[in-house]
Amino acid sequence: MALARFDVEFTRGGHAFEQKQIDLLAARLPSVTDLIVLAHGWNNDMADARELYDGMVGNFEKLLQSLEQLPGLGGVGGRTYAICQVFWPSKKFTDKELIPGGGAASATKASDKALIELLENLKQDPIRLGGNETPTERVESIERAIKSVPNLHASALARKVFLNALRSTMSKKRKDAKEIDDGSAAFLEADPERIFKSMSIAVIAPGPQSSGGGVATLGAGHGGAAGVGDLVDGITAGARRIANFVTYYQMKERAGEVGTKGLAPLLKQCRKNNPALRIHLVGHSFGARVVTAAAAGLPKGTPGVTLSLLQAAFSHNALSGDYGKGKPGFYRTVLADARVSGPIIVTHTKNDKAVGVAYPLASRVAFQVAAALGDQNDPYGGLGRNGAQNTVEATGHDRILGKKGTKYAFTPGTVTNLLADEVIRDHNDVSSEAVAYAVLCCSGGI
């Protein structure tokens, strides 16, 4: 059974790139009962995003063809599904060891050459996925940072120029510019020397369990250190981590823009065209932020919406009602105001080095030194590493992500953290049959 699939592209400002794409989707909606909305993460070009979607949708189709053998999917019997494939301008880095924050952090590349290569990549700010635009003002800022690189070790002035040049590329107009649960506020305001001192320390996060039950190591090539991490220290390593954080910030902001300005209005239009339509939001990595931001833009008490966050690259406190001193998470409204009234599932694993190492950077930026950087006790940990933390709706709902046929009980108004250590091997390993099965089970919860 082939599912109808519709592409919708959004620009970096969050606007629909081509109205015809939306019109094609809208025309089909009256004939379906359920719409699955897929949003890819970063470090994706168009080919990567399509490969992810092909894998996920292929598994949806196989599972829906086998309903008689899968009692756990009984809730979706008789439904007709369509797929909305979101494409948004995340960044593509060809050198995997230089993927800022959201990818495999480098434990060996600490040279000026590697830093400059990373900065050259930052000049690009594509309007749409796959573009290569380099806005003049952005290029000028990055060039100032590049010129300061040879003097970073010896000169406090060079370090100040470097940091302020990168800060100038960061938008400060949005209300989440100083989001407090990921270190952004400190990064925008702190003294450059303090930032460099904090970011020049090696970052080590607890790793996955080895087959023998102990903590896995990076191996002899990385000094045999326990856990996973970015082990190089020093000024150049600190400068690279600063650039990493700036890129993280840009993708965080862009994902929010796309979700709020682009996807949320589209979802409202979809529901207007078919008031009974069930909507299932599925996001990977920063795409999880895209769909969560979209959910936050829906009206209070919106019925018939589920949310599946696959290795989400944002704060593990984002859904919390109070993660300390009465502070709610940035997307608390999704639960508190029932903007997602159906079940929410969150996959998480220590195998995810992207989230597990990127989020300790936020702790460094905020000048926190947690006992176990990036874990559930770190105030700046990530959803894809730890699941939803300090969230009442998640209490008592922890499960293991199992194979197809697993009996889940995803209920409306709850958050289920799915420990995926045995299924998800790394940050991008989310298109498997087991993940697709959990998403479909979640959709059956409404």
Side-chain angles (χ1 to χ4, degrees), residues 3 36 38 56-64 83 436 439-440:
L3 297 176
I36 297 176
L38 303 177
M56 296 181 74
V57 175
N59 279 316
F60 290 151
E61 292 172 343
K62 291 176 184 176
L63 291 166
L64 290 172
I83 308 292
V439 170
L440 286 179

Side-chain angles (χ1 to χ4, degrees), residues 7 55 239 273 330:
D7 294 349
N273 288 5
F330 194 72

Side-chain angles (χ1 to χ4, degrees), residues 56-252:
M56 296 181 74
V57 175
N59 279 316
F60 290 151
E61 292 172 343
K62 291 176 184 176
L63 291 166
L64 290 172
Q65 289 172 350
S66 306
L67 291 181
E68 292 183 1
Q69 290 79 42
L70 297 170
L73 287 178
V76 306
R79 299 188 186 187
T80 53
Y81 286 83
I83 308 292
C84 173
Q85 302 180 150
V86 172
F87 295 90
W88 61 285
S90 59
K91 283 182 174 286
K92 176 65 177 177
F93 291 83
T94 56
D95 184 343
K96 291 183 179 180
E97 287 198 300
L98 292 178
I99 299 169
S106 169
T108 59
K109 300 257 185 175
S111 67
D112 285 358
K113 180 180 178 182
L115 174 59
I116 290 171
E117 184 177 349
L118 191 158
L119 293 171
E120 289 289 350
N121 281 325
L122 291 183
K123 290 180 180 179
Q124 291 192 1
D125 193 16
I127 294 173
R128 58 189 292 213
L129 185 63
N132 58 5
E133 291 83 4
T134 54
T136 300
E137 185 176 356
R138 185 176 182 84
V139 169
E140 291 173 350
S141 295
I142 300 300
E143 280 295 331
R144 290 199 300 274
I146 290 174
K147 289 178 181 178
S148 71
V149 168
N151 300 313
L152 289 178
H153 284 271
S155 170
L157 177 60
R159 293 190 288 272
K160 182 178 180 179
V161 169
F162 180 89
L163 182 60
N164 287 338
L166 293 184
R167 278 174 170 168
S168 71
T169 69
M170 300 165 67
S171 170
K172 301 174 183 62
K173 65 181 180 180
R174 282 177 47 78
K175 65 180 181 180
D176 63 347
K178 295 184 179 180
E179 188 174 338
I180 61 175
D181 58 4
D182 68 356
S184 298
F187 188 84
L188 289 168
E189 298 171 352
D191 175 73
E193 284 299 280
R194 192 178 183 195
I195 291 282
F196 260 96
K197 182 178 179 180
S198 181
M199 296 291 267
S200 295
I201 304 169
V203 178
I204 302 174
Q209 294 295 310
S210 69
S211 58
V215 177
T217 67
L218 286 172
H222 299 283
V228 295
D230 186 353
L231 305 182
V232 178
D233 56 15
I235 293 295
T236 304
R240 175 171 52 76
R241 293 188 189 104
I242 289 170
N244 288 350
F245 191 84
V246 170
T247 309
Y248 152 80
Y249 180 98
Q250 181 185 9
M251 289 299 100
K252 176 196 85 165

Side-chain angles (χ1 to χ4, degrees), residues 5 38-40 49-57 85-87:
R5 300 164 67 173
L38 303 177
H40 63 81
R50 288 200 182 281
E51 181 179 0
L52 172 68
Y53 294 157
D54 287 348
M56 296 181 74
V57 175
Q85 302 180 150
V86 172
F87 295 90

